[in-house]
Amino acid sequence: MSSKVYITGIGAITAIGNNAKENFDSLVHKKHGLTHTRFLNTIHKEIFPVCEINLTNDALASMLGIENKQGYTRTALLGMIAVKEAIEDAGIAWKENTLEKKYKTALINSTTVGGMRHTEEIYLDLLEKESQPETNSYIDTHDLGECTERIADYFGVKSYITTISTACSSSANAIMLGVRLIQQGIVDRAICGGVDSLSKFTINGFNTLMILDKEHCRPFDNTRVGLNLGEGAGYVILESEKIVQEENKKPSCFVSGFANTNDAFHQTASSPNGDGAFMAMSQALAMAHLEPKDISYINVHGTATPNNDLSEGRAMERLFGTDDAPKFSSTKPYTGHTLAACGGIEAVYGVMAIENGVIYPSLNFNEKMEELTIQPETETLTGVEVNHVLSNSFGFGGNNSTVIISKVK
Amino acid sequence: MIKSVYINGIAAISPQNTFEGDDFFSAPISFDDNYLLVQDADYKKYINPVQIRRMSRILKISYSTARKAIEDAGVVSLDAIITGSGYGCIDDTEKFLLSMLHQNEQMLNPTAFMQSTHNSVSGIVALNMKCNSYNFTYVHRGLSFESSMIDAMIHIQEGMKNILVGGFEENSKNHYQVTNKISFWKKNNINSLELLADNNIGTIAGEGANFFVISGEKNEHTYASILDIAMLYKPTSDEEVSKAIQDLLAKNNLTTDDVDVYLTGLNGDNTLDSTYYNMAEKLFASKSMLYFKHLCGEYYTAPSFGLWVASMILKKQMIPDILYCKKQATNSVKYILLHNHYRNINHGFCLLKHE
C-alpha cells in the first residue's frame, strides 16, 4: 500500500449503545441488545427477536436538534448520529459550513434498504389514495442515496458523495473506497461507513430464506440455526498523512490492508470451503505485508447462519491453521446483523479493541462446530497487545470483503 | 486523473434498437405514453434455459448487455465488475413489498427478495463468469454510474487491465405512479421524440442497461478514451456548474474551444433544463449541442446511455440528426463533453476523446 491512511475518528449507534463508548462497555460486559420490536408493526413481532435501538424517530431527531423531522427517514437519522460522533471524535469543526474549509472531504455511505422502513408504511396509501403532503414527503426518500445526501447536507460535505450497496459487505467496501480516494489524492479525508434501520421488508425477506433464529443467535456454535436482525450505523473518519501532520494529530490506528473478492458460487449463499472469504483475507494480508500470525484478533462476519459460519470458519482454518489461529469473536449477538452497517460498526469495534487492548467475547457459544477445530473467544480478554485487527464482512451476491486495521506504533 | 482509459467494448439495451447490429438511430422509435421500455433482445443467446426462467426482467437485460460488452471487447477475463443503479431491481423490490403488504407477511416467495438487492446484477455476472475479483455496486441516485466509472478509472491507475462497468435501471408502473405524485413526469402524454417541444414541468420515464469494458490499453476494439470524470453535488448557481466544467477541462489541459460537442442530459422538464442551455450559450456557443433522453427516457443511470451515444459518435465520426438540439458545422469530433444532471442535485461530467 502506498501512503498511510489513518483512522482519526469513530462513531456508532446500535442496540447496545448510542455512541462508541457505550457500545464498548456493553461488549466487554457481555450486554447484548436483543429484544422484541417496540416500534415495528409486524406479525413476526413476538416470533423473531431483533436488536432494535430503543429510540423513536422523534427522539433521534431531537438528539440532532432537528425540529421538523418530516422527510427524514430513520436510516438518515441513525446515520447522522453516528457520523456526528465520528466527526467530533476526529476534532473536525463542521458547524456553519466549516467542514470542508481546509480539506476536501468525501462522504461514502452504504445501506441496503435506505428508506424502506417508511416506504412499507405508506406504500399502499401512495398507490391507492389521494396525495397527502406528509406521505408525499417520503416518496423521494426510498432510494439508497437519499439518506447519504441528508447526512451530507447536515454536516456540509460537498466534494465527493456516493453510496454503496453490496449487501452485508457494504460498509467494509465504503472504507476501502475511502482509502483509495485519499491515496489517489482525490480527497484528503473521507467519512466512511454504513447504516440500516430495521424494516418489515428485511425481516420477511430473511424469513423467506429461513435464516432467522427465533432464539438468540449462536455464532460458530454447532447448534446455530440463523441470525438475528439488528439496526444501527457505524462510521470512521479516514484522513491523509498530510492532515495528520498539519493538524498534529495522534491517531491510534490506520487501515493497513483490504480486499474485495467475489465467491462466484451462489446468489445468496457462500461456498462451503469459503473460497471468496479465503481470497479476501489473504489478499488483505498481502496488502498489509502481514503474515497470518501477525493478526491479533479477527472480528468475524459470524452471522450464525449455518452457511456463513461454516464457510468463514473453513476459510480461516485454511489461512490461519487450526493450532494457533488468532483469537476471534462475532459481535453479531450484541448488535444483531445490521446488514450494510456491520462493516462500519465492526471497524469501530476494531479500533476500540486496539486502543483498549481488549478482545471481545462471543456470546452463546457452547458446542464446537463438528466441521471445525477453531472456536471463538468466550470471555473478555483485557491487557492484550492488539496490533492488527482483521474484520470480515460478507454478503449476498457473493461479496466478500476484509479490512485490516493496525495500531500506529 | 493521471492516465486516460480506453473504452474497448460497449453494449446497450435501450428503448431504441441499440443491441443487435451496428445501427445508430437510423430509425428512432417513438413512445406516446411518457413511459419508455427497452426493446427486448434475444436473451436466450446469453442465458441458459434453466436460469432464464428464474431471472427477473432487469437481470436478463443487464446480464445480456454485460455479456455483449465483454464479447465486443474480445476479453476473456475481468479484473473487476462495477455496476451502478439508483433503484436497483425495483420491480422485484415492489413485488416482494406488495405481496408482503397484501398477504399480511405470509406465504412469501424468496425469489423476489433474493433478486431485489441492488448488487444482484454484479453478483450474477461474477457468478456466471466465475469471476472472483473486485465486485462493487454504487447506488447513489444520479451519480451511480459516474461513481462506478471513477472507481474503475482509479483501478486502471492502480494496474488493473480490463474492467466491466455498467449502469442499469428498470421502469415500473407502480414507481411511475408514485413518483408522478411529486411531478416527476409530464402531465400530458407526449411523443417522446418531441420531448423538447413540450415546455412544461416533468419528463418521460425510461430504462436501460449500458455496459462498457474499459482498459488502460488501446487496441483495435477501442471506441474512445475517457480523459476524466467529475461529479458536482447541489450547485447553488449556474456559475458553479460552469466553473466545474472549466476546471475539468483545465485539469486536462483543454479549454471550451477544444470541445467539439456538448452532449447533454436535457430531459424536457422546464424547471430543470435551463442549466444546460446556459452552459451551451456561455461556454459552447459555437459548438453543437446534443441530447439523448428523448431516446432512452429519464432514469438515474441515463448518463450511461449518454456514454454509449458518445462512444458511438467518436468511433463512427458521425452524429445522427436525431441527437441535435443545436447544430453547428463540425468536421471531425475529437472531444465530447457529456454533462448530465439529476434534478439539479447530482451533476456528472465525462470528458471523452476520439482515438
Side-chain angles (χ1 to χ4, degrees), chain A residues 347-396:
Chain A
V348 169
Y349 293 172
V351 170
M352 294 191 294
I354 289 173
E355 287 177 345
N356 295 286
V358 160
I359 286 169
Y360 312 115
S362 248
L363 295 180
N364 308 328
F365 175 82
N366 289 304
E367 190 184 328
K368 195 178 67 64
M369 284 168 61
E370 60 185 30
E371 303 91 340
L372 298 180
T373 308
I374 55 170
Q375 59 182 66
E377 216 36 59
T378 55
E379 293 303 328
T380 306
L381 304 178
T382 56
V384 187
E385 175 79 17
V386 183
N387 291 317
H388 306 282
V389 174
L390 183 148
S391 178
N392 283 335
S393 300
F394 307 143
F396 281 9

Side-chain angles (χ1 to χ4, degrees), chain B residues 2 7 14 41 50 56 60 64 80 82 86 123 155 162 174 185 191 193 211 255 268-269 286 291 308 330-331 345:
Chain B
I2 320 133
I7 300 174
S14 76
V50 182
S56 68
K60 283 189 267 197
S64 304
I82 307 173
H155 271 308
N162 292 299
N174 285 339
W185 318 118
N191 175 333
L193 297 180
F211 276 77
T255 69
D269 184 323
S286 62
Y291 71 120
W308 184 89
T330 331
N331 291 328
I345 296 170

Side-chain angles (χ1 to χ4, degrees), chain A residues 92-322:
Chain A
I92 300 165
W94 62 273
K95 286 178 183 160
E96 284 147 19
N97 242 349
T98 51
L99 189 122
E100 293 212 54
K101 209 168 157 194
K102 231 172 135 185
Y103 300 110
K104 272 180 95 171
T105 303
L107 172 62
I108 304 163
N109 191 34
S110 63
T111 180
T112 65
V113 285
M116 179 58 86
R117 188 198 182 94
H118 297 264
T119 305
E120 67 193 18
E121 280 170 25
I122 59 174
Y123 198 59
L124 292 181
D125 284 352
L126 285 174
L127 289 177
E128 291 157 12
K129 292 186 184 163
E130 287 296 303
S131 275
Q132 301 289 332
E134 165 72 19
T135 45
N136 279 7
S137 73
Y138 283 97
I139 291 178
D140 202 26
T141 66
H142 169 76
D143 73 284
L144 307 187
E146 198 273 345
C147 60
T148 309
E149 296 188 349
R150 290 271 176 180
I151 300 170
D153 292 350
Y154 187 83
F155 297 101
V157 185
K158 179 143 170 139
S159 287
Y160 200 104
I161 291 156
T162 197
T163 313
I164 294 163
S165 196
T166 52
C168 311
S169 66
S170 301
S171 48
N173 287 334
I175 294 171
M176 65 182 84
L177 178 69
V179 173
R180 293 171 59 231
L181 289 179
I182 292 172
Q183 286 179 335
Q184 289 289 326
I186 294 171
V187 293
D188 306 305
R189 176 201 281 152
I191 304 162
C192 308
V195 54
D196 260 316
S197 40
L198 280 166
S199 69
K200 292 202 287 189
F201 187 89
T202 36
I203 293 175
N204 281 283
F206 280 86
N207 186 31
T208 61
L209 297 174
M210 295 185 286
I211 50 174
L212 287 181
D213 195 340
K214 292 175 181 164
E215 312 289 326
H216 200 181
C217 70
R218 301 177 292 287
F220 283 81
D221 187 273
N222 206 35
T223 66
R224 73 197 184 284
V225 295
L227 57 86
N228 307 131
L229 284 168
E231 63 181 354
Y235 295 86
V236 296
I237 307 293
L238 302 178
E239 292 188 316
S240 64
E241 280 186 309
K242 183 182 98 174
I243 298 187
V244 166
Q245 280 162 13
E246 284 179 5
E247 304 286 304
N248 203 19
K249 292 194 174 188
K250 300 271 174 280
S252 58
C253 304
F254 66 103
V255 181
S256 58
F258 53 77
N260 166 308
T261 66
N262 195 288
D263 212 21
F265 172 75
H266 183 270
Q267 206 171 335
T268 55
S270 306
S271 63
N273 288 322
D275 292 337
F278 178 83
M279 285 185 282
M281 289 189 285
S282 339
Q283 289 174 20
L285 280 173
M287 182 189 277
H289 302 293
L290 294 174
E291 297 294 326
K293 65 173 170 40
D294 297 325
I295 297 297
S296 328
Y297 166 57
I298 302 175
N299 185 300
V300 293
H301 189 53
T303 57
T305 62
N307 175 241
N308 177 81
D309 293 6
L310 177 61
S311 172
E312 185 173 17
R314 281 192 172 144
M316 282 159 61
E317 288 195 345
R318 281 164 69 190
L319 185 59
F320 295 99
T322 51

Side-chain angles (χ1 to χ4, degrees), chain A residues 42 126 129 153 162-163 262, chain B residues 105 132 140 147 181 233-234:
Chain A
T42 163
L126 285 174
K129 292 186 184 163
D153 292 350
T162 197
T163 313
N262 195 288
Chain B
E105 304 180 60
N132 295 117
H140 197 84
S147 299
K181 293 193 165 184
Y233 175 65
K234 283 196 181 166

